[in-house]
Amino acid sequence: LRSASNGVDFEDLDLFHPVDSKVIRRAKDVLYQLGALDEDDQITGIGEYMNRFPVRPVFGRMLYESSQYSERIRAYMSAIAAAMEAGGLQRFGKDIDTRWKTLVNEGCQSDLEAQLDIFIQVMRARSEKKFTAQYVHDYDLNPKYVERALRQYEKIARRAGVKDVH
């Protein structure tokens, strides 16, 4: 998507470590399905919008779709994209509890919703000055991923024209 936005066809690049043409074709097919490229592999208006965000194309399309909704919805989609791009907010492992589940609303139906719920609670704790290393530990969150998600959210939210998620 980035190369298409610069008018460059990725297949035409003479790379030091060449990428298999099947891989490039599959990537272009995905971008086509998302509406980011047209039949001639040229970037579309949707693709230009998606390219504004430092996220994978599927999340870029999600942000494009949310652009026609309220600021709150755009903030939620920005938070989900940031959390997913960071790798998720929780820690997982054999000897790790799942106390993060207490941050998730009872009716939560999906992983994306869970990421949103956790992100909102982290942002709330941050605004109330309760967001500390101990907070992250107490809820079995991944400190590296949480910090990455917070930085990513700032970039995405600014480009989506939103302020806060909570």
Side-chain angles (χ1 to χ4, degrees), residues 6-100:
N6 291 317
V8 176
D9 188 329
F10 203 81
E11 287 178 298
D12 295 339
L13 295 176
D14 186 22
L15 301 171
F16 185 71
H17 295 289
V19 178
D20 188 322
S21 62
K22 291 177 193 168
V23 172
I24 295 172
R25 188 71 251 159
R26 274 197 306 267
K28 284 182 175 183
D29 287 344
V30 168
L31 293 173
Y32 175 75
Q33 291 169 4
L34 292 172
L37 294 180
D38 65 17
E39 315 74 45
D40 299 320
D41 293 336
Q42 299 299 306
I43 195 161
T44 64
I46 293 171
E48 290 288 351
Y49 186 90
M50 292 166 53
N51 195 45
R52 294 172 41 197
F53 299 97
V55 296
R56 287 174 276 182
V58 68
F59 295 122
R61 179 60 192 232
M62 181 177 78
L63 293 166
Y64 169 78
E65 291 300 324
S66 72
S67 70
Q68 47 195 312
Y69 293 96
S70 69
E71 183 176 344
R72 184 178 192 168
I73 297 298
R74 293 191 323 270
Y76 286 173
M77 295 303 108
S78 297
I80 291 169
M84 296 305 290
E85 282 294 318
L89 303 175
Q90 320 86 311
R91 287 180 5 152
F92 292 102
K94 192 173 97 175
D95 298 328
I96 297 174
D97 290 328
T98 56
R99 294 176 292 206
W100 58 266

Side-chain angles (χ1 to χ4, degrees), residues 121-158:
Q121 293 303 322
V122 165
M123 291 293 281
R124 200 167 278 145
R126 195 173 172 202
S127 71
E128 295 170 359
K129 309 285 190 237
K130 295 177 184 176
F131 182 70
T132 62
Q134 188 63 47
Y135 178 93
V136 171
H137 174 75
D138 287 348
Y139 289 105
D140 300 310
L141 301 176
N142 185 317
K144 186 167 137 182
Y145 291 179
V146 168
E147 285 303 320
R148 187 181 301 159
L150 290 170
R151 283 192 312 273
Q152 190 80 339
Y153 177 75
E154 289 174 15
K155 293 175 196 172
I156 295 168
R158 184 174 50 252

Side-chain angles (χ1 to χ4, degrees), residues 80 100-101 104-117:
I80 291 169
W100 58 266
K101 288 183 178 180
V104 176
N105 287 326
E106 214 171 285
C108 181
Q109 304 268 321
S110 72
D111 291 341
L112 296 179
E113 247 185 296
Q115 294 301 316
L116 175 60
D117 289 347

